[in-house]
Structures are given as structure tokens and as C-alpha cells.
Amino acid sequence: MHHAWILAGAEGLGKASFARAAAAELVAQTGTPQPPPDRHPDILAPEHPPENKVEAQKRDDGQPYKTKRSIPIDEIRAMQQRLTTRPTLGARRAVIIDPADDLETNAVNALLKSLEEPPAGTFFLLVSHRPGRLLPTVRSRCRILRFDPLSDDAVARIVTGAEPGADAATRAAAVAAARGSPGMALGFVGQGLGPVHQAMVRILQAGDDHFEQRGALADAIGARPDRERMQAACDLARALVAGALDNSPPARQRRLIAAHGEIARLASQVATYNYDPALLVMEIGGLLASAALPRETA
């Protein structure tokens, strides 16, 4: 078996869960009891560390804490130090990088050395939502296992099983917006984005000449949404615009593509930029309105 793999596909398809299950199989030693993957001494998973000392103290106290947006080189060096010793319970080790997209530049360069000269019995599983952004030198040393989107029926079954208390409208909206990603669908359900979905669909179908629907969208999102809710709203808008590309005439497709690009830009910045939520909602609504069906069609 090759020593390094990129698990590639959209976010929310179960790549990380697969990586943990695969790692458990790789390190299992016949006749030796095996602990769960998250506590296995031979499964190494460099993490996003706490954002600062205050958050580190929260972690030490067992409280929820904020993490850095990237995986620093210190995490990779600590992992590499472990690789200089023998495995604890068997002859093999597995390293999970989740996601490899979040590695700092120095961390990628450090990881590359391990990929070039892997210790005996060590396997690397790199979860990647955007493998095209990984360095060519990293991709050239890995084999790629691609995860395809699921069917809407499969996503619906997962959502129903995981969130049986969610109303039918919320589940249907989540499935429609997720475009084959059960993780994304569950995130939509958890954020209660059913009303937001309905407001976005109305704008995308009929436009919003008098800003009334944008006001309804703002009400649905809420007066003081946190970053996670705004991120989910951006992802939802982007998914709806992408879905509208199907069976749209070329003239509208150009507008949809332009709107999708702008919404994707906003989505990439929500985590770091200090946007005014109200203005951001208006901008999302305006982009949806710019891609609406022509009035006579709507």
C-alpha cells in the first residue's frame, strides 16, 4: 500500500471520518486490544491549537475554546518527533492531517520532508477540500482517493436519521442547498436556516426591486448573527446559485456565475473580516437579486 494519500472532495462528505476508520485499520495489531482512534497512541493528528493563552487555559479546563485558523509548523514538528520512536501497540503508525488545506506554508514544507522519506510502517492520510491548492510537490508524493457528492436521497436519509426532530421544510431546504454533502446539510439544519433558504429562493426567483425581500432575508438571519451563522448563510446562497445554473439560459448563466464568484469571495472572508452583518446580508441579497430570473419568466 502506498504510504501517502490525499482524501479529496467537497467539505462534509465524510473524508475525516473515513480517515479515522482507515487509520484504525492500518495500525491494528492482531491479538492486541485497540483503543478508539481518537485515543490511539499510534494515530497522530496535528491539530489547530488554541487561538491564544486565554483559549489555551479554557482547553486545559475542559471548556470550549477557539482555535487558530491554520495548523502551524510546531504541530508538524511535534508529530515528526513522535515518528522517530517506535510505534506503541504494533508495527505501524498513521498520520491524519485534517484538513491539509489549513497547513501554514512552513508546516507544508516540513511535512514534505516526511512524505519524501517516510519512516517504515508510517501512512499519511491528508484530508483536502481543495486539493488543487496543495503544493504540486505534495500531490506528486500522494495517491488521490476522491469522494463524490451523494445523491439527494442519500443525504435526506442521513439528515432524517441524525435530526429526526427537524421539520420537513428545514430538512428539504438543507438537502437542496447541500448539493450532495451530508455534513453541510446537517450544518444547515443545526443553524435553522429554513426561513433563510425560503427568503433567498424568493429573491433568486423574482428579484427584489424595492428591497423588501432583502429586509425579509435580514429578519430571517437575525439581528446579531455570529460568524458561523453568516458563514452558513453565505454557503447556502452559493449553493442555491450553483444549483440554479442547471437548465438556465446562457444569458442568465453568466449572471449566476458572476454572482457565485462574488458570494464565494464573501464566504472566504467571513471568518477573518469584520463585516457589519446587516450590510453583508444586504450584499448577499443584492447578488442573489442580480442573478434573478427575468421578470416575465419569474
Side-chain angles (χ1 to χ4, degrees), residues 121-280:
T122 300
F123 298 90
F124 294 86
L125 303 172
L126 279 59
V127 176
S128 178
H129 313 314
R130 298 175 296 276
R133 295 187 180 183
L134 296 177
L135 289 177
T137 47
V138 171
R139 297 199 304 269
S140 68
R141 286 160 176 78
C142 301
R143 293 186 180 177
I144 296 180
L145 179 62
R146 299 191 183 278
F147 288 66
D148 294 327
L150 278 64
S151 67
D152 284 352
D153 288 342
V155 175
R157 288 194 297 271
I158 293 172
V159 171
T160 300
E163 297 285 351
D167 62 84
T170 297
R171 292 200 302 268
V175 171
R179 296 184 65 80
S181 169
M184 185 176 290
L186 291 172
F188 289 146
V189 172
Q191 287 286 350
L193 293 181
V196 176
H197 174 266
Q198 294 171 358
M200 288 182 175
V201 168
R202 286 195 296 268
I203 296 174
L204 195 56
Q205 289 182 344
D208 186 27
D209 292 343
H210 304 291
F211 289 82
E212 294 178 358
Q213 296 303 325
R214 268 167 275 196
L217 175 61
D219 291 341
I221 290 179
R224 303 183 68 178
D226 57 21
R227 287 185 187 271
E228 288 186 5
R229 186 165 177 80
M230 288 308 306
Q231 184 72 63
C234 286
D235 292 340
L236 175 59
R238 182 169 53 176
L240 289 174
V241 171
L245 277 167
D246 299 335
N247 302 318
S248 289
R252 191 191 183 208
Q253 284 185 344
R254 287 191 289 271
R255 290 186 284 115
L256 287 165
I257 291 170
H260 185 276
E262 285 300 302
I263 295 172
R265 177 184 62 81
L266 292 174
S268 69
Q269 297 172 349
V270 165
T272 55
Y273 284 38
N274 290 321
Y275 280 115
D276 181 311
L279 293 178
L280 181 56

